[in-house]
Amino acid sequence: MLIPCPWCGDREDIEFKYGGAAQIAYPANPDSADDAAWARYVFFRPNPKGKMAERWVHSAGCRRWFNLVRDTVTHEITPTPAAEERR
Amino acid sequence: MSRLPEGGRIDRSRPIRFTFNGHTYQGCAGDTLASALLANDVRIVARSVTYGRPRGVFSAGSEEPNALVQVGSETMLRATQVELDDGLEAASLNGKGRLTSEPETARFDKIYAHCEVLVVGGGPAGRSAAQSAAQTGDRVILMDEQPLLNSDSDGLPSNVRVLLRTTAFGLYDQNLVLAAERRADGGRLWQIRARQVVLATGAHERPLVFANNDRPGILLAGAVRTYLNRYGVAPGTRGVVFTNNDTTAPLASDLRSAGIAVAAIIDIRREQAIVDTDGDDDGLRAVTLAGGDRIECDLLCVSGGFNPTDHLYSQAQGKLRYDERFACFRPDGKLPNVTVLGAANGEFDFAIQPCWLVPGTNGDWSAHFVDLERDVTVADMQRAVNAGMRSIEHVKRFTTIGTGSDQGKTSGINEVGLVGALTGQPIGGVGTTTYRPPYVPVSFALMAGRNRGDLFDPIRLTSIQPWHVAHGAVFENVGQWKRPWYFPRHDEDMEGAVQRECRAARENVAIMDVSTLGKIDIQGPDAVEFLNRIYTNAFDTLKVGFGRYGLMCKADGMVFDDGVVMHLGPDHWLATTTTGGAAAVLDWMEEWLQTEWPELTVRLTSVTDHWSAVAVVGPQSRDVVHTLFPAIAVDTQSFPFMAIREGETGGIPVRLHRITFSGELAYELWTPSWYGLALWEAVMAAGQPLGITPYGTEAMHVLRAEKGYIICGQETDGTVTPQDLGMGWIVSKKKPFIGQRSHRRGDTRRADRKHLVGLLPVDGEQLLPEGAQLVLDENTSAAVTMIGHVTSSYRSATLGRTFALGMLQRGRERFGTTVYVPLNGHVVAATVTEPIFYDRENVRRDS
Ligand SMILES: [Zn+2]
């Protein structure tokens, strides 16, 4: 699979490490989260058949973390605008 | 000899000698093993896998199901694809390959290529696609599995790279094509990225299914033409054609021009059929027609139609649909950046009357072969359908049809037709089985290429490695690192060496190469805030010139890694990690910095390989350090625990740390890697009068376990909190850090969590296996509940007995009690203790 690093361009997937689901922000105030809300942040992740926002790091390249949207059926990748979606 | 006097694309002036099953034969340059065997009247090439029936050459390409051979160490080769080579030694295979026990000596390589257009298949469709793609100046690769192009390769523009003997066997995401190139001394694995892939892979002829349709001398009609016209070989003397379509029309005249008598043309469209065949030990002798006529012949050319070769297209999730007119499955719809052309796209021009089954004379279906390689008959398929199978995938698994090394290239669509016929479903509704890579068998040797032996995985060595080798160290692999495990003296065994090394560290002075520790340089005005958030303990109180042990958790509150963090200067820190955890910790730190904490100005750099580090350990380590660095005051008050000093010895710049991982008075001496070996040798020289002893990772493990120091990844496994380890003291209550909130979850506060404990086997000679389970009940004849496990276990010279660390439910409530360890056939008792066995008062580090 080719992964488009926003800094380096298309590179083979062996240069990257997978960081799981993206767009799951660290709760602003963990202490005020009840157990259920905290558990949801820690343990619950989407597992869609289709488009999924994912976090990747270009470990063997520029070492930058970034987001993309990957279709889990076709592996089609849609880069997301890095600025507002750094999580 | 059945070699024709003229014709074909072979070189009669270059005879080639080869052996088959020990007999010597002669062929020509340009022959395959199959054509050369036919030219020498060798009709039986192999025997079938289940019934041991004689089988001969059936096709002229990679779809061959019968003629499987062994050539040298390479097994499961198709005689139709083995190019004749001087001195070739081949042998029959009876359906199963033979792996040699000898190491592979052939050379296999990998090569990467990029192009705008990759054309798979060098027939007329592929060639013209390559030619027109090349006109734009694009990089074009044209590949074909044959040693020569069907059409002349002259006249192709220079930007077309032609790869012959190269079979594309996998089409993966974003047009990554894997292809196997056969070379004289091995092979080459091509990994090609193509913007556009053009599949001009042609079509496979399929046979007809009738009784005893597997005898040597029965060949696909198109293959017969190939042997006549390309190889100048007559595969028989008296031929019959059995067909259901008009692609066989030119065959009769081809046979006659080769001097082969055409005894009959049996055409299903004229309501004719062959219902059985006769033969002897050498193959086909006669065919029986519907109506009873018997025709003597030694060659039967069969054609049941054509299947577009859409394996690659289908691997890439391309959909297929059934085409009634040509009785075949062909591409339906489009794949992005993939084009299917010519016969592969079902672009045919012939008339056909589909025929999936020709009944025999006696209602017996057990010699109607569908899959020749797997010996699957119509009777097997009937059994599957009678057992309730309807789906093509179920029938495949029930009968094993299509699971041979030919992947059912000649049988697959007949299977679909038969399932349709036997179950009364329309063929289009039955559908095909899933095509999976590889399209042709690919050897492990090709996939491995040169990544074998020493080149299997990168090896990381410290700069001190030459000394370890020269002094007889036994190494262990720690990730990619080679680390000295122990240093045996003379005929000492491992246990003896480790006990001696441990005693030296406890009683005298010992030295260890700790260069493999992960090291991350951390700089920036927000570095201390960053460390406070990453580690469970606080760093804002740590002065420049001191280090502090730190522990980090993941968001779930479980221990992730540990190490010492050094405060080197204003806004400058250096964190060590476990040897195996360095890359993961760096990625983890970067993830938080880049995604959650962009407001922090912090820069991280891996400096693992920049520094060599030498641990000098033991009560006399101070004397060694003093000898090397007379200018540095080394008394406990001047150079306290966890302090850092800068020094120099014999021109070697050294950073000294008072750190211990054994509990003893100890120093870590760091120097830029360039000086690593020189520093080690300087320490050895300074310590020689005191008998300084090099030690390896095993002694290091024993020493740290005696003190109850954990190793992340050994005591912890991603389910262990700092509190479980009895390390609540390192968890700050004053500042937020990753994982903190999880330590208040109900689950992490359960009273019955597993705790780190010590374990002393009641029999002090008994070494508990690491990973052994702990139970409460000595009687394990019935099912017992596991309440823990052993994480570390050693023999201790200091304690004069064995000991272990483990994780045990409610462990801290069980100190002094007995648990049991079921081993193979017996149960061992162990006393639960606090997880510290030596120097509980922590006085030795300052002694
Ligand atoms: Zn990058």
Side-chain angles (χ1 to χ4, degrees):
Chain A
M1 189 165 64
L2 280 182
I3 294 175
C5 172
W7 308 91
C8 309
D10 288 354
R11 298 297 182 97
E12 292 285 348
D13 56 9
I14 53 165
E15 295 185 13
F16 298 83
K17 282 190 192 130
Y18 183 57
Q23 297 164 359
I24 295 175
Y26 193 71
N29 194 348
D31 278 338
S32 64
D34 63 19
D35 271 9
W38 183 252
R40 183 153 287 280
Y41 162 72
V42 174
F43 299 112
F44 285 61
R45 290 296 179 272
N47 184 23
K49 181 179 182 182
K51 288 189 184 303
M52 163 141 176
E54 296 175 340
R55 198 179 259 187
W56 290 79
V57 60
H58 194 187
S59 324
C62 62
R63 270 189 18 222
R64 301 304 292 176
W65 284 86
F66 58 93
N67 286 351
L68 49 76
V69 173
R70 182 177 64 101
D71 189 307
T72 57
V73 179
T74 64
H75 286 181
E76 191 190 351
I77 290 173
T78 329
T80 50
E84 68 267 24
E85 298 197 20
R86 56 190 316 147
R87 285 194 171 109
Chain B
M1 279 292 284
S2 301
R3 181 74 72 187
L4 300 174
E6 55 187 24
R9 296 180 73 176
I10 51 164
D11 186 351
R12 285 179 173 74
S13 69
R14 285 176 54 208
I16 291 179
R17 287 165 71 84
F18 67 100
T19 68
F20 182 66
N21 290 339
H23 300 283
T24 304
Y25 300 100
Q26 189 172 305
C28 297
D31 262 329
T32 62
L33 177 59
S35 66
L37 288 171
L38 288 172
N40 284 276
D41 298 328
V42 177
R43 308 231 302 167
I44 299 175
V45 181
R47 291 193 175 264
S48 70
V49 64
T50 306
Y51 303 118
R53 289 170 69 105
R55 295 280 167 80
V57 172
F58 188 67
S59 73
S62 58
E63 71 271 39
E64 177 62 34
N66 277 349
L68 298 175
V69 296
Q70 175 106 10
V71 177
S73 67
E74 280 234 63
T75 195
M76 294 299 276
L77 297 179
R78 271 138 246 285
T80 51
Q81 289 204 292
V82 175
E83 285 179 58
L84 211 58
D85 201 8
D86 242 334
L88 180 93
E89 292 179 12
S92 295
L93 282 176
N94 297 333
K96 280 183 189 153
R98 283 196 302 266
L99 290 178
T100 74
S101 51
E102 306 297 311
E104 179 63 67
T105 53
R107 257 183 48 187
F108 293 92
D109 276 306
K110 292 179 186 172
I111 184 166
Y112 298 82
H114 295 80
C115 62
E116 277 69 46
V117 181
L118 168 65
V119 182
V120 183
R127 190 198 149 95
S128 74
Q131 202 137 28
S132 64
Q135 279 168 7
T136 60
D138 280 350
R139 293 167 299 175
V140 178
I141 294 177
L142 174 62
M143 117 181 0
D144 197 282
E145 65 181 356
Q146 294 292 331
L148 42 82
L149 287 183
N150 195 11
S151 44
D152 201 351
S153 73
D154 291 346
L156 283 172
S158 61
N159 53 331
V160 178
R161 184 172 193 179
V162 179
L163 302 179
L164 299 175
R165 302 179 172 88
T166 308
T167 309
F169 63 80
L171 172 54
Y172 299 89
D173 293 327
Q174 295 142 318
N175 281 351
L176 173 68
V177 173
L178 263 57
E181 179 187 2
R182 304 187 306 279
R183 309 178 95 192
D185 57 347
R188 194 149 67 163
L189 177 67
W190 286 81
Q191 301 182 49
I192 303 173
R193 277 281 173 202
R195 205 162 296 289
Q196 292 288 330
V197 169
V198 177
L199 299 174
T201 40
H204 287 140
E205 193 165 28
R206 64 176 178 254
L208 290 161
V209 179
F210 51 99
N212 291 300
N213 57 343
D214 66 327
R215 296 187 193 279
I218 302 179
L219 281 80
L220 291 168
V224 173
R225 294 189 70 203
T226 302
Y227 287 114
L228 293 171
N229 300 327
R230 174 167 160 192
Y231 296 106
V233 172
T237 57
R238 190 176 154 80
V240 170
V241 179
F242 187 18
T243 185
N244 67 344
N245 64 77
D246 56 17
T247 65
T248 46
L251 182 54
S253 76
D254 282 358
L255 288 169
R256 284 190 197 101
S257 351
I260 301 173
V262 179
I265 295 175
I266 309 300
D267 194 329
I268 281 168
R269 294 172 298 169
R270 296 201 299 264
E271 305 200 347
Q272 300 166 320
I274 290 174
V275 293
D276 205 351
T277 70
D278 278 337
D280 57 22
D281 282 351
D282 203 29
L284 182 71
R285 286 289 169 244
V287 299
T288 305
L289 305 187
D293 286 354
R294 189 167 185 278
I295 302 174
E296 306 258 317
C297 60
D298 60 1
L299 172 65
L300 175 57
C301 318
V302 294
S303 180
F306 285 84
N307 308 324
T309 312
D310 289 326
H311 300 66
L312 295 174
Y313 166 83
S314 185
Q315 285 174 17
Q317 312 291 319
K319 298 275 177 287
L320 299 170
R321 71 178 166 86
Y322 187 67
D323 183 315
E324 298 276 354
R325 182 175 164 208
F326 298 115
C328 70
F329 284 89
R330 62 188 292 182
D332 185 21
K334 290 216 123 240
L335 280 177
N337 303 316
V338 175
T339 311
V340 189
L341 286 183
N345 196 34
E347 294 162 18
F348 292 124
D349 183 17
F350 59 78
I352 181 171
Q353 178 183 320
C355 172
W356 307 110
L357 191 55
V358 181
T361 54
N362 55 6
D364 179 14
W365 302 96
S366 63
H368 281 65
F369 286 91
V370 187
D371 184 331
L372 292 164
E373 183 169 347
R374 296 293 314 173
D375 258 356
V376 177
T377 65
V378 172
D380 297 322
M381 297 195 56
Q382 285 174 329
R383 264 193 292 280
V385 169
N386 290 342
M389 312 290 153
R390 290 295 179 274
S391 148
I392 189 80
E393 298 285 2
H394 290 160
V395 173
K396 172 181 173 178
R397 281 153 184 78
F398 193 88
T399 60
T400 75
I401 194 168
T403 61
S405 64
D406 65 345
Q407 297 223 349
K409 291 186 183 68
T410 55
S411 63
I413 304 304
N414 278 341
E415 179 203 7
V416 178
L418 280 162
V419 169
L422 294 173
T423 62
Q425 305 176 67
I427 290 170
V430 175
T432 64
T433 54
T434 307
Y435 294 93
R436 294 191 178 88
Y439 168 70
V440 290
V442 176
S443 70
F444 285 117
L446 180 73
M447 298 303 269
R450 299 199 183 200
N451 297 102
R452 303 190 294 169
D454 286 347
L455 299 181
F456 174 66
D457 198 33
I459 294 171
R460 299 179 77 182
L461 303 173
T462 74
S463 63
I464 308 168
Q465 169 81 0
W467 193 95
H468 303 324
V469 173
H471 290 78
V474 176
F475 290 90
E476 75 165 335
N477 294 330
V478 181
Q480 292 173 330
W481 290 103
K482 297 274 177 208
R483 299 196 70 183
W485 196 11
Y486 56 98
F487 291 85
R489 276 189 190 162
H490 311 299
D491 52 358
E492 209 173 36
D493 63 4
M494 176 172 172
E495 191 183 319
V498 171
Q499 304 259 311
R500 174 180 51 73
E501 291 169 15
C502 287
R503 268 195 303 273
R506 290 273 183 245
E507 297 166 9
N508 186 5
V509 59
I511 176 171
M512 184 184 187
D513 180 357
V514 294
S515 307
T516 62
L517 280 174
K519 307 173 198 78
I520 300 171
D521 193 83
I522 301 168
Q523 298 193 36
D526 299 314
V528 67
E529 172 63 19
F530 173 71
L531 293 169
N532 272 346
R533 295 185 192 182
I534 286 283
Y535 286 91
T536 61
N537 48 332
F539 285 86
D540 42 7
T541 54
L542 187 66
K543 294 193 199 71
V544 170
F546 282 87
R548 178 172 288 170
Y549 176 75
L551 194 66
M552 60 180 82
C553 293
K554 291 241 163 156
D556 60 6
M558 303 301 157
V559 170
F560 170 40
D561 205 83
D562 65 351
V564 174
V565 182
M566 267 80 83
H567 197 175
L568 298 179
D571 304 334
H572 188 189
W573 302 67
L574 194 149
T576 63
T577 72
T578 54
T579 293
V585 170
L586 182 62
D587 282 347
W588 170 250
M589 288 179 164
E590 288 282 15
E591 180 172 12
W592 286 93
L593 266 183
Q594 292 178 31
T595 65
E596 290 290 347
W597 307 329
E599 74 279 7
L600 297 185
T601 302
V602 179
R603 296 288 175 261
L604 306 175
T605 309
S606 169
V607 293
T608 299
D609 299 88
H610 298 203
W611 294 94
S612 287
V614 176
V616 186
V617 177
Q620 300 196 66
S621 58
R622 181 179 289 120
D623 300 340
V624 177
V625 170
H626 177 66
T627 306
L628 289 167
F629 305 94
I632 297 178
V634 290
D635 61 283
T636 306
Q637 284 70 39
S638 311
F639 192 175
F641 187 59
M642 281 292 174
I644 303 170
R645 295 287 179 268
E646 297 288 342
E648 188 233 287
T649 182
I652 305 167
V654 179
R655 185 186 292 156
L656 300 82
H657 312 79
R658 271 275 317 271
I659 294 174
T660 186
F661 195 44
S662 58
E664 298 299 326
L665 174 72
Y667 301 82
E668 261 181 34
L669 311 183
W670 287 30
T671 189
S673 293
W674 177 256
Y675 299 100
L677 183 56
L679 175 61
W680 177 276
E681 286 173 337
V683 178
M684 286 302 297
Q688 200 190 9
L690 299 166
I692 192 165
T693 302
Y695 69 104
T697 50
E698 188 66 17
M700 178 266 283
H701 276 270
V702 177
L703 296 167
R704 65 90 201 173
E706 287 169 350
K707 284 289 292 177
Y709 295 154
I710 61 151
I711 287 191
C712 287
Q714 182 147 349
E715 271 60 57
T716 72
D717 58 4
T719 69
V720 176
T721 66
Q723 297 82 0
D724 296 340
L725 297 169
M727 294 173 71
W729 53 268
I730 202 170
V731 180
S732 170
K733 295 184 175 56
K734 295 187 187 133
K735 54 104 194 181
F737 61 88
I738 297 169
Q740 183 179 49
R741 173 64 185 81
S742 288
H743 293 157
R744 287 199 289 109
R745 291 181 60 238
D747 187 62
T748 47
R749 289 152 55 118
R750 270 180 14 240
D752 63 347
R753 286 186 67 84
K754 289 180 184 173
H755 301 150
L756 180 70
V757 297
L759 296 165
L760 287 174
V762 171
D763 171 2
E765 285 299 304
Q766 173 73 50
L767 186 67
L768 301 177
E770 290 174 356
Q773 300 292 322
L774 306 176
V775 301
L776 278 183
D777 194 342
E778 187 175 9
N779 178 4
T780 57
S781 56
V784 289
T785 307
M786 301 179 299
I787 55 165
H789 60 279
V790 176
T791 58
S792 295
S793 176
Y794 309 98
R795 218 173 274 282
S796 165
T798 308
L799 307 177
R801 55 163 300 136
T802 59
F803 73 106
L805 296 171
M807 297 299 296
L808 178 66
Q809 271 177 24
R810 298 182 184 272
R812 288 194 284 272
E813 299 167 23
R814 297 189 202 270
F815 292 156
T817 70
T818 301
V819 292
Y820 296 93
V821 188
L823 301 177
N824 261 349
H826 63 293
V827 178
V828 173
T831 305
V832 181
T833 70
E834 278 187 69
I836 180 167
F837 301 92
Y838 179 72
D839 180 32
R840 291 160 175 277
E841 306 75 22
N842 280 333
V843 295
R844 296 193 61 86
R845 72 175 199 211
D846 293 320
S847 62

